[in-house]
Amino acid sequence: MLLRQVRSRLGRRGIFLLILGVGKTCWGASFLFDPPDGAGLQLLTSMCDLRHWAWLWIVCGLATTVSAFLRIGRDRYGYVAALIPPTVWAVAYLAAVITGDYSRGLWVAIWYLTSHVGVIMWAATVPEYSVPPMPRRARKSEGA
């Protein structure tokens, strides 16, 4: 019962933002508790430790999560917040490729740009109720 209420309150866009927000927050927490070696992220680690960059993921993840509960139109801030960390990471990996520090960075950057940035940008344009109504003929044949 509670799950249905939450689902109807959030809608499709809100559920997507909730999933993104929790995921980004957890990803950021992983950098706090068990940071990776930072291969390909020299641009970021030259400014500060990956533990500090973890807070970018956490703050943006929390903002995305909170935005899941906002009305359509106001939820755009959640989509913007969701875009920031993967965009920063993609830029860092592309910089590592250009400087020759991490040749694999090109593929990681493309992965961030497609599976994160691209999907978020696409989802931001999907209206809450975009499913077309069932054709009239199909509705009549269901009861027959």
Side-chain angles (χ1 to χ4, degrees):
M1 185 75 155
L2 178 63
L3 189 58
R4 277 190 193 153
Q5 290 174 339
V6 170
R7 185 174 180 206
S8 67
R9 166 74 173 102
L10 293 177
R12 293 181 341 163
R13 292 171 58 93
I15 290 170
F16 181 76
L17 284 171
L18 182 64
I19 292 167
L20 278 179
V22 170
K24 290 182 184 313
T25 304
C26 290
W27 186 247
S30 77
F31 282 95
L32 281 180
F33 297 113
D34 190 18
D37 64 3
L41 298 172
Q42 292 85 350
L43 177 66
L44 302 180
T45 57
S46 69
M47 294 180 234
C48 59
D49 189 62
L50 280 180
R51 290 178 194 258
H52 295 99
W53 284 105
W55 288 103
L56 177 69
W57 286 92
I58 294 168
V59 169
C60 288
L62 292 173
T64 302
T65 301
V66 168
S67 294
F69 295 92
L70 299 177
R71 285 192 325 248
I72 298 169
R74 293 187 180 206
D75 63 355
R76 69 180 167 267
Y77 301 113
Y79 288 99
V80 170
L83 283 170
I84 295 169
T87 302
V88 169
W89 253 242
V91 168
Y93 281 116
L94 287 173
V97 171
I98 291 168
T99 61
D101 291 334
Y102 192 60
S103 61
R104 186 174 178 260
L106 176 63
W107 311 112
V108 180
I110 292 170
W111 178 71
Y112 271 112
L113 291 172
T114 57
S115 68
H116 292 346
V117 174
V119 169
I120 293 165
M121 289 175 70
W122 168 80
T125 65
V126 173
E128 180 63 32
Y129 302 104
S130 64
V131 179
M134 191 180 303
R136 190 168 182 83
R137 218 170 74 188
R139 281 186 253 161
K140 284 183 179 179
S141 64
E142 280 181 353

